[in-house]
Amino acid sequence: MRKILEFSKGWKFTKDVTDGAAVGAKWDEVDLPHTWNNVDGQDGGNDYYRGTCMYAKKFARPEITPGQRVIIEFLGAALSAKVSFNNKELTNHEDGFSTFRVDVTDYLEDENVIMVAVDNSATDRIYPQKADFTFYGGIYRDVNMIIVEENHFEIIKDGTTGIKITPVVNLESKSAEIKCEAWTVGGDKVAFTVGDLTAEADVNNGYASCNIHMENIHLWDGINDPYLYDVQAKLIVGSEATDEVSTRIGLRKYEFDTERGFILNGREYPLRGVSRHQDRAGVGNAITQAMHDEDMEIIKEIGANTIRLAHYQHAQYFYDLCDENGMIVWAEIPFITQFMPNGYDNTILQMRELITQCYHHPSIICWGLSNEITASGSITDELYANHKALNDLCHEMDETRVTTMAHAFMLEPEDKLIEMADLGSYNLYYGWYLGELEENDEFFDDYHKNFPNRIIGFSEYGADANPAFQSPNPEKGDYTETYQCVYHEHILKCINERPFLWATHVWNMFDFAADGRDEGGKNGQNQKGLVTMDRKLKKDAFYLYKANWNKTDKFVHLCGSRYKDRVEAETEVKVYSNLDKVTLFLDGNEVATTETDMGTAVFKINISGNHVVEARGNDGNTGYKDIIEIHKVDEANPAYGLLKKEEVVNWFDKDTIDPNYYSINDTLGALKENPQSAAIVNNLMAKLVASRGDVAEATVGNKTLEKMLNKMTLVALFKQAGDAVPGDMIKQLNDTLQKIKK
Ligand code: GCB
């Protein structure tokens, strides 16, 4: 029988590859999981170390009997890993997010050295290369040693489990046909067990297959009842079992309807949830099981029933958690932002491994082919061909699931790319990067009207918020926690009113590292999370969703606990709660009782000094409350945000501008018509884009985006851009433009 042994402890690590092949004295001692970018990948500047680093581990010959094989299993090494064993190169694995295994048996000696050259440097072959997140380097998931008998289930190819269990559910007859397949090295028979049913199949040329019919099935029913069946497969030689693998499956059926959205097990089941990146503050992607568990607990707390696991294959442990907790999952590969003609093989490899390794998770319902792949560069025939190949591959490998794509907002709905996957989905940021909140609603209504036969979803939306930033007049681009609430209240309503959306995912559940970003008072982070990167602080908008999605865990949440010092004499107090009614008290005196609408109750109160604000609500006999303290102050607290911007707004509203000369009131299109003003604008745009990370940089040259931007005035752009352009610079710029005659 196979043995799985811990192999993560006692490694050596060096960044200095000139140390040569020998494990030098200067090497650090590390235990895996490990990344070399947990600090520099999160501190901004887009300057984290991307290169080749070496890991090595010495070990004595394991005790094996003749015929047994020794396999080293890597659960994740990014972005590629070249494994040498006793100085012989055995494999070069170019997928930073999947499991791979190496058979070292034939090269074993009494003392052995396994060396792994892990590389996250830039290339034009391996995805991801351009994207809004840090590409941490390292062996950032566990490593195991597996010892199998001579006769064993296939273990090397694409990190396979060696078996493929495919259930097809019949809801009417409450039965399922379960196709059981296995790939083996040797062996006579495979005995499959699914729940309490068994079946045997002969092995022919390393393949065995049989069907199991199951009556009275217990459905895997999302978060209501995520029932799992245990599956075992035993490889039999003569009358003895020599290998055993196990997995779990869930029996469920799902469909998509152009009007009703997602249907699970025959009933409407609106998919409402969040996206997740796997990294953490200070830890990078080398996260522990406890951290995975905590992420799942937070996602459950918000009441989500779906997770988009962006933008790459996540740990098997997390997909397991999704199965166990009934989450519906969108799984994807990092085919993202910018198409690389030389990356074709890599997309195929990554998809093949994703499907092979994740096939049994009932939580996964779709394979994401790409994300915003048209954001940068032009749309070419090669790009279409790559998508067609990926889509065909998914259907060939998996007849039970659908494919999807997350489109950039500037991809025209008429583009044929949209119909290359079974389902469509858009990432829209109207009300944050560009445009107004209502444009999200308009976009989906137009789309639905113009393409009534298409299934469409909302794969990303969000607004950055630094929880230290607060405002009595929240507006787009200010990075306040307050605006994040305004933004999400609008989108939540937009979603609720459009049941045809097959799934919606907040971008993002957690703040995450994007070392190329520098904005909103934090360097190196994308702050669209509803929870901070250390998972310690739930921003106010978290509770908006919890109030709407979590029906069981009753609560009252007062927004603005971090907005203590308030200049306005009449201030707004907002409560998010999943109770029907809440009552507000100011310094112990009742202010009002209000029914919550979409989980929200808003009060206005007059303040003059230091106050205690309390919200209370009841559910039967149980009372819930929350308390915050606020102070009336004369001067705005500068820690609350980007006051520079308010100064800016003030002067250009007042200043007199000569319309015969160029100014910041002109559109980018008009400014680009004159060579002098064009040079100024281009220079400015380059700087702006650089501060917004790789995705922004990659969008340069996108024709649709350029068309949209050309219609915007510089003033509008500055408002949009938040803190990217300091006030004095805007003034200077306007003075310069005012010297150029139209
Ligand atoms: C997107 C990308 C995602 C980014 C996000 C953002 O559309 O798919 O990777 O992080 O926008 O925050 O700009």
mmCIF file with all atom_site columns, all heavy atoms in Angstrom, residues 132-133 277 308 311 336 371-372 427 429 433 460 464 507 512 517 526 528 695, ligand 1:
data_model
loop_
_atom_site.group_PDB
_atom_site.id
_atom_site.type_symbol
_atom_site.label_atom_id
_atom_site.label_alt_id
_atom_site.label_comp_id
_atom_site.label_asym_id
_atom_site.label_entity_id
_atom_site.label_seq_id
_atom_site.pdbx_PDB_ins_code
_atom_site.Cartn_x
_atom_site.Cartn_y
_atom_site.Cartn_z
_atom_site.occupancy
_atom_site.B_iso_or_equiv
_atom_site.pdbx_formal_charge
_atom_site.auth_seq_id
_atom_site.auth_comp_id
_atom_site.auth_asym_id
_atom_site.auth_atom_id
_atom_site.pdbx_PDB_model_num
ATOM   1   N N   . ASP A 1 132 ? -2.718  42.113 -12.078 1.00 0.00 ? 132 ASP A N   1
ATOM   2   C CA  . ASP A 1 132 ? -2.751  42.994 -10.926 1.00 0.00 ? 132 ASP A CA  1
ATOM   3   C C   . ASP A 1 132 ? -2.580  42.195 -9.628  1.00 0.00 ? 132 ASP A C   1
ATOM   4   O O   . ASP A 1 132 ? -3.405  42.259 -8.729  1.00 0.00 ? 132 ASP A O   1
ATOM   5   C CB  . ASP A 1 132 ? -4.107  43.726 -10.959 1.00 0.00 ? 132 ASP A CB  1
ATOM   6   C CG  . ASP A 1 132 ? -4.277  44.684 -9.810  1.00 0.00 ? 132 ASP A CG  1
ATOM   7   O OD1 . ASP A 1 132 ? -3.272  45.238 -9.366  1.00 0.00 ? 132 ASP A OD1 1
ATOM   8   O OD2 . ASP A 1 132 ? -5.419  44.854 -9.359  1.00 0.00 ? 132 ASP A OD2 1
ATOM   9   N N   . PHE A 1 133 ? -1.534  41.416 -9.546  1.00 0.00 ? 133 PHE A N   1
ATOM   10  C CA  . PHE A 1 133 ? -1.202  40.757 -8.281  1.00 0.00 ? 133 PHE A CA  1
ATOM   11  C C   . PHE A 1 133 ? 0.259   40.350 -8.324  1.00 0.00 ? 133 PHE A C   1
ATOM   12  O O   . PHE A 1 133 ? 0.858   40.269 -9.398  1.00 0.00 ? 133 PHE A O   1
ATOM   13  C CB  . PHE A 1 133 ? -2.119  39.563 -7.990  1.00 0.00 ? 133 PHE A CB  1
ATOM   14  C CG  . PHE A 1 133 ? -2.111  38.440 -8.996  1.00 0.00 ? 133 PHE A CG  1
ATOM   15  C CD1 . PHE A 1 133 ? -1.334  37.315 -8.792  1.00 0.00 ? 133 PHE A CD1 1
ATOM   16  C CD2 . PHE A 1 133 ? -2.898  38.496 -10.142 1.00 0.00 ? 133 PHE A CD2 1
ATOM   17  C CE1 . PHE A 1 133 ? -1.340  36.264 -9.707  1.00 0.00 ? 133 PHE A CE1 1
ATOM   18  C CE2 . PHE A 1 133 ? -2.913  37.452 -11.067 1.00 0.00 ? 133 PHE A CE2 1
ATOM   19  C CZ  . PHE A 1 133 ? -2.129  36.335 -10.846 1.00 0.00 ? 133 PHE A CZ  1
ATOM   20  N N   . HIS A 1 277 ? -8.195  35.808 -3.628  1.00 0.00 ? 277 HIS A N   1
ATOM   21  C CA  . HIS A 1 277 ? -6.783  35.567 -3.921  1.00 0.00 ? 277 HIS A CA  1
ATOM   22  C C   . HIS A 1 277 ? -6.253  34.836 -2.694  1.00 0.00 ? 277 HIS A C   1
ATOM   23  O O   . HIS A 1 277 ? -6.721  35.039 -1.586  1.00 0.00 ? 277 HIS A O   1
ATOM   24  C CB  . HIS A 1 277 ? -6.028  36.893 -4.074  1.00 0.00 ? 277 HIS A CB  1
ATOM   25  C CG  . HIS A 1 277 ? -5.802  37.316 -5.486  1.00 0.00 ? 277 HIS A CG  1
ATOM   26  N ND1 . HIS A 1 277 ? -5.156  36.530 -6.409  1.00 0.00 ? 277 HIS A ND1 1
ATOM   27  C CD2 . HIS A 1 277 ? -6.112  38.480 -6.140  1.00 0.00 ? 277 HIS A CD2 1
ATOM   28  C CE1 . HIS A 1 277 ? -5.079  37.175 -7.566  1.00 0.00 ? 277 HIS A CE1 1
ATOM   29  N NE2 . HIS A 1 277 ? -5.667  38.351 -7.437  1.00 0.00 ? 277 HIS A NE2 1
ATOM   30  N N   . ARG A 1 308 ? -15.322 32.783 -6.565  1.00 0.00 ? 308 ARG A N   1
ATOM   31  C CA  . ARG A 1 308 ? -14.479 32.704 -7.755  1.00 0.00 ? 308 ARG A CA  1
ATOM   32  C C   . ARG A 1 308 ? -13.046 32.589 -7.247  1.00 0.00 ? 308 ARG A C   1
ATOM   33  O O   . ARG A 1 308 ? -12.531 33.517 -6.606  1.00 0.00 ? 308 ARG A O   1
ATOM   34  C CB  . ARG A 1 308 ? -14.658 33.957 -8.620  1.00 0.00 ? 308 ARG A CB  1
ATOM   35  C CG  . ARG A 1 308 ? -13.773 33.924 -9.833  1.00 0.00 ? 308 ARG A CG  1
ATOM   36  C CD  . ARG A 1 308 ? -14.060 35.061 -10.804 1.00 0.00 ? 308 ARG A CD  1
ATOM   37  N NE  . ARG A 1 308 ? -13.042 35.056 -11.831 1.00 0.00 ? 308 ARG A NE  1
ATOM   38  C CZ  . ARG A 1 308 ? -12.549 36.131 -12.425 1.00 0.00 ? 308 ARG A CZ  1
ATOM   39  N NH1 . ARG A 1 308 ? -13.026 37.336 -12.121 1.00 0.00 ? 308 ARG A NH1 1
ATOM   40  N NH2 . ARG A 1 308 ? -11.616 36.032 -13.333 1.00 0.00 ? 308 ARG A NH2 1
ATOM   41  N N   . HIS A 1 311 ? -6.695  33.979 -9.506  1.00 0.00 ? 311 HIS A N   1
ATOM   42  C CA  . HIS A 1 311 ? -6.797  33.903 -10.963 1.00 0.00 ? 311 HIS A CA  1
ATOM   43  C C   . HIS A 1 311 ? -6.010  32.703 -11.443 1.00 0.00 ? 311 HIS A C   1
ATOM   44  O O   . HIS A 1 311 ? -5.365  32.748 -12.469 1.00 0.00 ? 311 HIS A O   1
ATOM   45  C CB  . HIS A 1 311 ? -6.177  35.139 -11.593 1.00 0.00 ? 311 HIS A CB  1
ATOM   46  C CG  . HIS A 1 311 ? -6.995  36.377 -11.606 1.00 0.00 ? 311 HIS A CG  1
ATOM   47  N ND1 . HIS A 1 311 ? -8.265  36.431 -12.144 1.00 0.00 ? 311 HIS A ND1 1
ATOM   48  C CD2 . HIS A 1 311 ? -6.754  37.631 -11.201 1.00 0.00 ? 311 HIS A CD2 1
ATOM   49  C CE1 . HIS A 1 311 ? -8.733  37.667 -12.050 1.00 0.00 ? 311 HIS A CE1 1
ATOM   50  N NE2 . HIS A 1 311 ? -7.841  38.413 -11.467 1.00 0.00 ? 311 HIS A NE2 1
ATOM   51  N N   . ILE A 1 336 ? -4.287  35.636 -18.563 1.00 0.00 ? 336 ILE A N   1
ATOM   52  C CA  . ILE A 1 336 ? -4.788  36.911 -18.035 1.00 0.00 ? 336 ILE A CA  1
ATOM   53  C C   . ILE A 1 336 ? -4.141  38.143 -18.668 1.00 0.00 ? 336 ILE A C   1
ATOM   54  O O   . ILE A 1 336 ? -2.962  38.110 -19.017 1.00 0.00 ? 336 ILE A O   1
ATOM   55  C CB  . ILE A 1 336 ? -4.572  36.901 -16.489 1.00 0.00 ? 336 ILE A CB  1
ATOM   56  C CG1 . ILE A 1 336 ? -5.173  38.122 -15.810 1.00 0.00 ? 336 ILE A CG1 1
ATOM   57  C CG2 . ILE A 1 336 ? -3.127  36.751 -16.098 1.00 0.00 ? 336 ILE A CG2 1
ATOM   58  C CD1 . ILE A 1 336 ? -5.284  37.994 -14.290 1.00 0.00 ? 336 ILE A CD1 1
ATOM   59  N N   . ASN A 1 371 ? -9.048  35.653 -18.199 1.00 0.00 ? 371 ASN A N   1
ATOM   60  C CA  . ASN A 1 371 ? -9.539  36.840 -17.501 1.00 0.00 ? 371 ASN A CA  1
ATOM   61  C C   . ASN A 1 371 ? -9.016  38.093 -18.186 1.00 0.00 ? 371 ASN A C   1
ATOM   62  O O   . ASN A 1 371 ? -7.799  38.260 -18.313 1.00 0.00 ? 371 ASN A O   1
ATOM   63  C CB  . ASN A 1 371 ? -9.061  36.836 -16.049 1.00 0.00 ? 371 ASN A CB  1
ATOM   64  C CG  . ASN A 1 371 ? -9.510  38.078 -15.303 1.00 0.00 ? 371 ASN A CG  1
ATOM   65  O OD1 . ASN A 1 371 ? -10.680 38.207 -14.959 1.00 0.00 ? 371 ASN A OD1 1
ATOM   66  N ND2 . ASN A 1 371 ? -8.607  39.010 -15.076 1.00 0.00 ? 371 ASN A ND2 1
ATOM   67  N N   . GLU A 1 372 ? -9.940  38.938 -18.626 1.00 0.00 ? 372 GLU A N   1
ATOM   68  C CA  . GLU A 1 372 ? -9.580  40.226 -19.241 1.00 0.00 ? 372 GLU A CA  1
ATOM   69  C C   . GLU A 1 372 ? -8.422  40.085 -20.212 1.00 0.00 ? 372 GLU A C   1
ATOM   70  O O   . GLU A 1 372 ? -7.513  40.918 -20.245 1.00 0.00 ? 372 GLU A O   1
ATOM   71  C CB  . GLU A 1 372 ? -9.230  41.243 -18.159 1.00 0.00 ? 372 GLU A CB  1
ATOM   72  C CG  . GLU A 1 372 ? -10.374 41.517 -17.220 1.00 0.00 ? 372 GLU A CG  1
ATOM   73  C CD  . GLU A 1 372 ? -10.295 42.863 -16.532 1.00 0.00 ? 372 GLU A CD  1
ATOM   74  O OE1 . GLU A 1 372 ? -9.204  43.438 -16.493 1.00 0.00 ? 372 GLU A OE1 1
ATOM   75  O OE2 . GLU A 1 372 ? -11.341 43.340 -16.059 1.00 0.00 ? 372 GLU A OE2 1
ATOM   76  N N   . ASN A 1 427 ? -16.290 41.798 -16.100 1.00 0.00 ? 427 ASN A N   1
ATOM   77  C CA  . ASN A 1 427 ? -15.721 42.536 -14.976 1.00 0.00 ? 427 ASN A CA  1
ATOM   78  C C   . ASN A 1 427 ? -16.039 44.002 -15.243 1.00 0.00 ? 427 ASN A C   1
ATOM   79  O O   . ASN A 1 427 ? -15.536 44.558 -16.223 1.00 0.00 ? 427 ASN A O   1
ATOM   80  C CB  . ASN A 1 427 ? -14.200 42.391 -14.914 1.00 0.00 ? 427 ASN A CB  1
ATOM   81  C CG  . ASN A 1 427 ? -13.744 40.953 -14.747 1.00 0.00 ? 427 ASN A CG  1
ATOM   82  O OD1 . ASN A 1 427 ? -14.532 40.075 -14.414 1.00 0.00 ? 427 ASN A OD1 1
ATOM   83  N ND2 . ASN A 1 427 ? -12.458 40.717 -14.964 1.00 0.00 ? 427 ASN A ND2 1
ATOM   84  N N   . TYR A 1 429 ? -16.246 47.997 -13.694 1.00 0.00 ? 429 TYR A N   1
ATOM   85  C CA  . TYR A 1 429 ? -15.862 48.870 -12.579 1.00 0.00 ? 429 TYR A CA  1
ATOM   86  C C   . TYR A 1 429 ? -16.449 50.273 -12.727 1.00 0.00 ? 429 TYR A C   1
ATOM   87  O O   . TYR A 1 429 ? -15.853 51.236 -12.269 1.00 0.00 ? 429 TYR A O   1
ATOM   88  C CB  . TYR A 1 429 ? -14.334 48.907 -12.447 1.00 0.00 ? 429 TYR A CB  1
ATOM   89  C CG  . TYR A 1 429 ? -13.787 47.619 -11.877 1.00 0.00 ? 429 TYR A CG  1
ATOM   90  C CD1 . TYR A 1 429 ? -13.337 46.608 -12.697 1.00 0.00 ? 429 TYR A CD1 1
ATOM   91  C CD2 . TYR A 1 429 ? -13.773 47.415 -10.501 1.00 0.00 ? 429 TYR A CD2 1
ATOM   92  C CE1 . TYR A 1 429 ? -12.856 45.416 -12.167 1.00 0.00 ? 429 TYR A CE1 1
ATOM   93  C CE2 . TYR A 1 429 ? -13.297 46.238 -9.958  1.00 0.00 ? 429 TYR A CE2 1
ATOM   94  C CZ  . TYR A 1 429 ? -12.836 45.241 -10.789 1.00 0.00 ? 429 TYR A CZ  1
ATOM   95  O OH  . TYR A 1 429 ? -12.371 44.066 -10.254 1.00 0.00 ? 429 TYR A OH  1
ATOM   96  N N   . TYR A 1 433 ? -13.294 52.959 -11.490 1.00 0.00 ? 433 TYR A N   1
ATOM   97  C CA  . TYR A 1 433 ? -12.255 53.487 -12.386 1.00 0.00 ? 433 TYR A CA  1
ATOM   98  C C   . TYR A 1 433 ? -12.801 54.521 -13.363 1.00 0.00 ? 433 TYR A C   1
ATOM   99  O O   . TYR A 1 433 ? -12.215 55.568 -13.571 1.00 0.00 ? 433 TYR A O   1
ATOM   100 C CB  . TYR A 1 433 ? -11.620 52.363 -13.201 1.00 0.00 ? 433 TYR A CB  1
ATOM   101 C CG  . TYR A 1 433 ? -10.788 51.408 -12.407 1.00 0.00 ? 433 TYR A CG  1
ATOM   102 C CD1 . TYR A 1 433 ? -11.072 50.052 -12.405 1.00 0.00 ? 433 TYR A CD1 1
ATOM   103 C CD2 . TYR A 1 433 ? -9.707  51.856 -11.671 1.00 0.00 ? 433 TYR A CD2 1
ATOM   104 C CE1 . TYR A 1 433 ? -10.290 49.164 -11.685 1.00 0.00 ? 433 TYR A CE1 1
ATOM   105 C CE2 . TYR A 1 433 ? -8.927  50.968 -10.948 1.00 0.00 ? 433 TYR A CE2 1
ATOM   106 C CZ  . TYR A 1 433 ? -9.227  49.633 -10.955 1.00 0.00 ? 433 TYR A CZ  1
ATOM   107 O OH  . TYR A 1 433 ? -8.461  48.758 -10.241 1.00 0.00 ? 433 TYR A OH  1
ATOM   108 N N   . GLU A 1 460 ? -16.709 40.442 -11.724 1.00 0.00 ? 460 GLU A N   1
ATOM   109 C CA  . GLU A 1 460 ? -15.910 41.309 -10.835 1.00 0.00 ? 460 GLU A CA  1
ATOM   110 C C   . GLU A 1 460 ? -16.560 42.669 -10.729 1.00 0.00 ? 460 GLU A C   1
ATOM   111 O O   . GLU A 1 460 ? -16.996 43.244 -11.728 1.00 0.00 ? 460 GLU A O   1
ATOM   112 C CB  . GLU A 1 460 ? -14.502 41.548 -11.412 1.00 0.00 ? 460 GLU A CB  1
ATOM   113 C CG  . GLU A 1 460 ? -13.504 40.492 -11.089 1.00 0.00 ? 460 GLU A CG  1
ATOM   114 C CD  . GLU A 1 460 ? -12.113 40.820 -11.633 1.00 0.00 ? 460 GLU A CD  1
ATOM   115 O OE1 . GLU A 1 460 ? -11.732 42.011 -11.655 1.00 0.00 ? 460 GLU A OE1 1
ATOM   116 O OE2 . GLU A 1 460 ? -11.430 39.876 -12.043 1.00 0.00 ? 460 GLU A OE2 1
ATOM   117 N N   . ASP A 1 464 ? -11.795 50.324 -4.163  1.00 0.00 ? 464 ASP A N   1
ATOM   118 C CA  . ASP A 1 464 ? -10.750 50.269 -3.132  1.00 0.00 ? 464 ASP A CA  1
ATOM   119 C C   . ASP A 1 464 ? -11.144 51.094 -1.911  1.00 0.00 ? 464 ASP A C   1
ATOM   120 O O   . ASP A 1 464 ? -11.713 52.187 -2.054  1.00 0.00 ? 464 ASP A O   1
ATOM   121 C CB  . ASP A 1 464 ? -9.441  50.838 -3.674  1.00 0.00 ? 464 ASP A CB  1
ATOM   122 C CG  . ASP A 1 464 ? -8.802  49.943 -4.716  1.00 0.00 ? 464 ASP A CG  1
ATOM   123 O OD1 . ASP A 1 464 ? -9.303  49.939 -5.870  1.00 0.00 ? 464 ASP A OD1 1
ATOM   124 O OD2 . ASP A 1 464 ? -7.829  49.264 -4.400  1.00 0.00 ? 464 ASP A OD2 1
ATOM   125 N N   . TRP A 1 507 ? -15.217 41.757 -6.106  1.00 0.00 ? 507 TRP A N   1
ATOM   126 C CA  . TRP A 1 507 ? -13.766 41.795 -6.190  1.00 0.00 ? 507 TRP A CA  1
ATOM   127 C C   . TRP A 1 507 ? -13.282 42.698 -5.080  1.00 0.00 ? 507 TRP A C   1
ATOM   128 O O   . TRP A 1 507 ? -13.467 43.894 -5.179  1.00 0.00 ? 507 TRP A O   1
ATOM   129 C CB  . TRP A 1 507 ? -13.290 42.312 -7.552  1.00 0.00 ? 507 TRP A CB  1
ATOM   130 C CG  . TRP A 1 507 ? -11.813 42.129 -7.709  1.00 0.00 ? 507 TRP A CG  1
ATOM   131 C CD1 . TRP A 1 507 ? -10.851 43.086 -7.541  1.00 0.00 ? 507 TRP A CD1 1
ATOM   132 C CD2 . TRP A 1 507 ? -11.134 40.922 -8.027  1.00 0.00 ? 507 TRP A CD2 1
ATOM   133 N NE1 . TRP A 1 507 ? -9.607  42.539 -7.736  1.00 0.00 ? 507 TRP A NE1 1
ATOM   134 C CE2 . TRP A 1 507 ? -9.755  41.206 -8.026  1.00 0.00 ? 507 TRP A CE2 1
ATOM   135 C CE3 . TRP A 1 507 ? -11.555 39.603 -8.289  1.00 0.00 ? 507 TRP A CE3 1
ATOM   136 C CZ2 . TRP A 1 507 ? -8.797  40.237 -8.284  1.00 0.00 ? 507 TRP A CZ2 1
ATOM   137 C CZ3 . TRP A 1 507 ? -10.604 38.660 -8.551  1.00 0.00 ? 507 TRP A CZ3 1
ATOM   138 C CH2 . TRP A 1 507 ? -9.234  38.975 -8.553  1.00 0.00 ? 507 TRP A CH2 1
ATOM   139 N N   . PHE A 1 512 ? -5.311  42.313 -1.312  1.00 0.00 ? 512 PHE A N   1
ATOM   140 C CA  . PHE A 1 512 ? -4.227  41.413 -1.718  1.00 0.00 ? 512 PHE A CA  1
ATOM   141 C C   . PHE A 1 512 ? -3.055  42.226 -2.250  1.00 0.00 ? 512 PHE A C   1
ATOM   142 O O   . PHE A 1 512 ? -3.199  43.404 -2.576  1.00 0.00 ? 512 PHE A O   1
ATOM   143 C CB  . PHE A 1 512 ? -4.713  40.399 -2.758  1.00 0.00 ? 512 PHE A CB  1
ATOM   144 C CG  . PHE A 1 512 ? -5.292  41.033 -3.996  1.00 0.00 ? 512 PHE A CG  1
ATOM   145 C CD1 . PHE A 1 512 ? -4.494  41.307 -5.103  1.00 0.00 ? 512 PHE A CD1 1
ATOM   146 C CD2 . PHE A 1 512 ? -6.637  41.371 -4.066  1.00 0.00 ? 512 PHE A CD2 1
ATOM   147 C CE1 . PHE A 1 512 ? -5.020  41.895 -6.248  1.00 0.00 ? 512 PHE A CE1 1
ATOM   148 C CE2 . PHE A 1 512 ? -7.172  41.966 -5.205  1.00 0.00 ? 512 PHE A CE2 1
ATOM   149 C CZ  . PHE A 1 512 ? -6.365  42.223 -6.299  1.00 0.00 ? 512 PHE A CZ  1
ATOM   150 N N   . ARG A 1 517 ? 1.189   48.571 -7.392  1.00 0.00 ? 517 ARG A N   1
ATOM   151 C CA  . ARG A 1 517 ? 0.239   49.642 -7.064  1.00 0.00 ? 517 ARG A CA  1
ATOM   152 C C   . ARG A 1 517 ? 0.792   50.568 -5.987  1.00 0.00 ? 517 ARG A C   1
ATOM   153 O O   . ARG A 1 517 ? 1.502   50.119 -5.091  1.00 0.00 ? 517 ARG A O   1
ATOM   154 C CB  . ARG A 1 517 ? -1.074  49.052 -6.549  1.00 0.00 ? 517 ARG A CB  1
ATOM   155 C CG  . ARG A 1 517 ? -1.955  48.502 -7.620  1.00 0.00 ? 517 ARG A CG  1
ATOM   156 C CD  . ARG A 1 517 ? -3.295  48.094 -7.044  1.00 0.00 ? 517 ARG A CD  1
ATOM   157 N NE  . ARG A 1 517 ? -4.137  47.528 -8.086  1.00 0.00 ? 517 ARG A NE  1
ATOM   158 C CZ  . ARG A 1 517 ? -5.147  48.191 -8.677  1.00 0.00 ? 517 ARG A CZ  1
ATOM   159 N NH1 . ARG A 1 517 ? -5.466  49.416 -8.302  1.00 0.00 ? 517 ARG A NH1 1
ATOM   160 N NH2 . ARG A 1 517 ? -5.858  47.609 -9.613  1.00 0.00 ? 517 ARG A NH2 1
ATOM   161 N N   . ASN A 1 526 ? -3.835  46.050 -3.469  1.00 0.00 ? 526 ASN A N   1
ATOM   162 C CA  . ASN A 1 526 ? -5.145  46.320 -4.042  1.00 0.00 ? 526 ASN A CA  1
ATOM   163 C C   . ASN A 1 526 ? -6.097  46.252 -2.853  1.00 0.00 ? 526 ASN A C   1
ATOM   164 O O   . ASN A 1 526 ? -6.167  45.230 -2.164  1.00 0.00 ? 526 ASN A O   1
ATOM   165 C CB  . ASN A 1 526 ? -5.493  45.250 -5.079  1.00 0.00 ? 526 ASN A CB  1
ATOM   166 C CG  . ASN A 1 526 ? -6.825  45.518 -5.767  1.00 0.00 ? 526 ASN A CG  1
ATOM   167 O OD1 . ASN A 1 526 ? -7.811  45.843 -5.118  1.00 0.00 ? 526 ASN A OD1 1
ATOM   168 N ND2 . ASN A 1 526 ? -6.853  45.370 -7.074  1.00 0.00 ? 526 ASN A ND2 1
ATOM   169 N N   . LYS A 1 528 ? -9.433  46.544 -2.712  1.00 0.00 ? 528 LYS A N   1
ATOM   170 C CA  . LYS A 1 528 ? -10.860 46.343 -2.975  1.00 0.00 ? 528 LYS A CA  1
ATOM   171 C C   . LYS A 1 528 ? -11.464 45.287 -2.056  1.00 0.00 ? 528 LYS A C   1
ATOM   172 O O   . LYS A 1 528 ? -12.657 44.996 -2.137  1.00 0.00 ? 528 LYS A O   1
ATOM   173 C CB  . LYS A 1 528 ? -11.079 45.955 -4.433  1.00 0.00 ? 528 LYS A CB  1
ATOM   174 C CG  . LYS A 1 528 ? -10.783 47.106 -5.384  1.00 0.00 ? 528 LYS A CG  1
ATOM   175 C CD  . LYS A 1 528 ? -11.211 46.860 -6.794  1.00 0.00 ? 528 LYS A CD  1
ATOM   176 C CE  . LYS A 1 528 ? -10.669 47.950 -7.683  1.00 0.00 ? 528 LYS A CE  1
ATOM   177 N NZ  . LYS A 1 528 ? -9.201  47.901 -7.836  1.00 0.00 ? 528 LYS A NZ  1
ATOM   178 N N   . VAL A 1 695 ? -1.796  46.026 -14.553 1.00 0.00 ? 695 VAL A N   1
ATOM   179 C CA  . VAL A 1 695 ? -2.971  45.938 -15.412 1.00 0.00 ? 695 VAL A CA  1
ATOM   180 C C   . VAL A 1 695 ? -3.189  47.254 -16.119 1.00 0.00 ? 695 VAL A C   1
ATOM   181 O O   . VAL A 1 695 ? -3.405  47.314 -17.330 1.00 0.00 ? 695 VAL A O   1
ATOM   182 C CB  . VAL A 1 695 ? -4.223  45.524 -14.615 1.00 0.00 ? 695 VAL A CB  1
ATOM   183 C CG1 . VAL A 1 695 ? -5.468  45.675 -15.450 1.00 0.00 ? 695 VAL A CG1 1
ATOM   184 C CG2 . VAL A 1 695 ? -4.064  44.080 -14.167 1.00 0.00 ? 695 VAL A CG2 1
HETATM 185 C C1  . GCB B 2 .   ? -9.653  43.331 -12.913 1.00 0.00 ? 1   GCB B C1  1
HETATM 186 C C2  . GCB B 2 .   ? -8.755  42.152 -12.821 1.00 0.00 ? 1   GCB B C2  1
HETATM 187 C C3  . GCB B 2 .   ? -8.254  41.942 -11.417 1.00 0.00 ? 1   GCB B C3  1
HETATM 188 C C4  . GCB B 2 .   ? -7.852  43.267 -10.813 1.00 0.00 ? 1   GCB B C4  1
HETATM 189 C C5  . GCB B 2 .   ? -9.055  44.164 -10.769 1.00 0.00 ? 1   GCB B C5  1
HETATM 190 C C6  . GCB B 2 .   ? -8.771  45.549 -10.195 1.00 0.00 ? 1   GCB B C6  1
HETATM 191 O O1  . GCB B 2 .   ? -10.477 43.433 -13.754 1.00 0.00 ? 1   GCB B O1  1
HETATM 192 O O2  . GCB B 2 .   ? -9.343  40.986 -13.309 1.00 0.00 ? 1   GCB B O2  1
HETATM 193 O O3  . GCB B 2 .   ? -7.197  41.045 -11.458 1.00 0.00 ? 1   GCB B O3  1
HETATM 194 O O4  . GCB B 2 .   ? -7.288  43.134 -9.557  1.00 0.00 ? 1   GCB B O4  1
HETATM 195 O O5  . GCB B 2 .   ? -9.536  44.352 -12.052 1.00 0.00 ? 1   GCB B O5  1
HETATM 196 O O6  . GCB B 2 .   ? -8.863  45.719 -8.998  1.00 0.00 ? 1   GCB B O6  1
HETATM 197 O O7  . GCB B 2 .   ? -8.443  46.448 -10.957 1.00 0.00 ? 1   GCB B O7  1
#
